[in-house]
Amino acid sequence: MLGQALCRAFAQGFEVVAWRSADLDITSPAEVRSKIAQIRPDWIVNAAAYTDVDGAEAEAVEACKVNALGSRHLALAANEAGCRLLSYSTDYIFDGESRTPYGESDRVCPINQYGRSKWIGEDYIRTFCRRHLIVRTSWLYGPGGEGFVDTMLRLAASRPEVEAVEDQVGSPTFSLDLAAKTKELVEHDRRGTYHVTNSGQCSKYEFACRTFELCSLHVKVRPVPSSRFHNPAARPSYSVLGNHRLKQDGIPLLRPWQKALADYLESKQ
Ligand SMILES: NC(=O)c1ccc[n+]([C@@H]2O[C@H](COP(=O)([O-])OP(=O)(O)OC[C@H]3O[C@@H](n4cnc5c(N)ncnc54)[C@H](OP(=O)(O)O)[C@@H]3O)[C@@H](O)[C@H]2O)c1
């Protein structure tokens, strides 16, 4: 999902070499090293990841191979070739105990295997790649993937009522907005760790309600606790990412999530 948005955003002003998983398996250190040495890009932008949060509970090793070791291979290869490496991380590296937005240097404490694998990946990138940029984001949706919005619309097509969790609060983020901000960060050669999400926060219940409201769909949304779904992976109850570094650096924040959602839904129609 994000990879496609990045290709669109960078199409103007950059020469983009885009790889699918079939073109480059980031779990293979030899493949990563040789492809990067061949091209020696200015930037490597890594949107590849094991993203099945529930699946990672049973496949922790697989998740780590991609999210942790894959990041390590990319970091080493980027460093060796003298390239900058940009990679994405997640709000799920936090435990959700806070009630104020998480800052970039706040204590990390993942509560599921996916979050652990992403955190180890971050650590490898900081350790092995001198010129790195880590962008943490949350609750992504957009073209080319089935995010929460698409799931809600799919469910609503076949039933008069849907359930949505009311005890998880975060910041929905439109992949095209994130890709555009990523481009800005690259153009200004930013380094270190940035939180980048659409502005504002909501529960998944509020997110679902707003989605149906914007589509003028009269679907009843029932607020339920997370425990209702018996998901294998625990989710943080509060994972709002404060975009503090963007503010500190005087970089405009992303627009409110409601506006981005309205644009996405309009483009779908
Ligand atoms: N989605 C969210 O809500 C969310 C929230 C916070 C952070 N993020 C982060 O944002 C980034 C982009 O997420 P996304 O939602 O765009 O993910 P996505 O749609 O699931 O895409 C992940 C891509 O990674 C590829 N991939 C998996 N294993 C690979 C490997 N070994 N080598 C090369 N490619 C591989 C997949 O290819 P195949 O399909 O062929 O396997 C897929 O194209 C990730 O770092 C994710 O952790 C996402």
Side-chain angles (χ1 to χ4, degrees):
M1 175 166 57
L2 181 58
Q4 287 181 25
L6 288 164
C7 288
R8 271 168 72 166
F10 280 86
Q12 280 200 338
F14 287 83
E15 188 187 338
V16 179
V17 180
W19 287 317
R20 293 164 189 272
S21 59
D23 306 318
L24 172 63
D25 177 1
I26 64 164
T27 66
S28 161
E31 221 182 293
V32 168
R33 201 163 168 241
S34 93
K35 286 245 179 181
I36 290 181
Q38 229 174 333
I39 294 191
R40 286 186 177 271
D42 294 316
W43 282 86
I44 299 164
V45 180
N46 174 37
Y50 180 109
T51 54
D52 178 355
V53 176
D54 287 316
E57 294 302 301
E59 293 189 318
V61 172
E62 191 51 36
C64 267
K65 270 191 195 162
V66 182
N67 295 344
L69 293 176
S71 300
R72 185 179 195 269
H73 305 325
L74 286 167
L76 286 165
N79 211 44
E80 194 178 294
C83 326
R84 299 165 185 83
L85 172 64
L86 187 164
S87 197
Y88 293 90
S89 189
T90 167
D91 53 332
Y92 283 7
I93 58 162
F94 294 110
D95 61 13
E97 294 301 314
S98 177
R99 283 299 169 266
T100 53
Y102 284 100
E104 284 84 350
S105 49
D106 280 358
R107 188 182 66 93
V108 159
C109 181
I111 58 171
N112 58 40
Q113 297 293 357
Y114 167 73
R116 277 180 207 112
S117 68
K118 293 293 290 183
W119 168 240
I120 301 168
E122 281 196 19
D123 209 33
Y124 279 141
I125 290 171
R126 286 193 194 90
T127 306
F128 293 116
C129 184
R130 204 169 48 84
R131 299 198 286 173
H132 66 261
L133 174 57
I134 294 169
V135 173
R136 294 186 188 138
T137 190
S138 64
W139 294 19
L140 276 189
Y141 64 89
E146 190 178 287
F148 181 80
V149 177
D150 305 281
T151 307
M152 285 295 121
L153 291 174
R154 180 171 53 76
L155 293 177
S158 61
R159 52 187 86 170
E161 181 179 301
V162 299
E163 294 177 330
V165 166
E166 64 174 344
D167 56 3
Q168 285 172 35
V169 172
S171 300
T173 302
F174 186 24
S175 60
L176 300 190
D177 285 6
L178 175 60
K181 190 57 71 180
T182 297
K183 187 178 176 191
E184 218 178 302
L185 293 173
V186 162
E187 283 168 341
H188 291 94
D189 199 11
R190 300 290 171 173
R191 310 274 170 91
T193 305
Y194 283 78
H195 288 177
V196 182
T197 63
N198 277 119
S199 303
Q201 63 182 58
C202 62
S203 67
K204 291 216 165 136
Y205 167 72
E206 291 164 326
F207 191 13
C209 290
R210 180 57 72 111
T211 300
F212 297 135
E213 192 186 309
L214 287 166
C215 294
S216 306
L217 284 175
H218 301 290
V219 183
K220 185 168 166 38
V221 188
R222 186 206 296 260
V224 293
S226 304
S227 54
R228 168 84 177 84
F229 292 111
H230 306 289
N231 285 322
R235 265 87 169 160
S237 58
Y238 180 92
S239 61
V240 178
L241 299 175
N243 291 197
H244 301 327
R245 273 205 70 193
L246 290 182
K247 277 185 210 150
Q248 273 166 23
D249 293 359
I251 302 171
L253 301 184
L254 269 62
R255 59 187 166 161
W257 68 267
Q258 298 94 330
K259 287 210 162 116
L261 177 61
D263 264 9
Y264 175 54
L265 293 171
E266 204 181 302
S267 71
K268 271 176 86 73
Q269 280 160 14

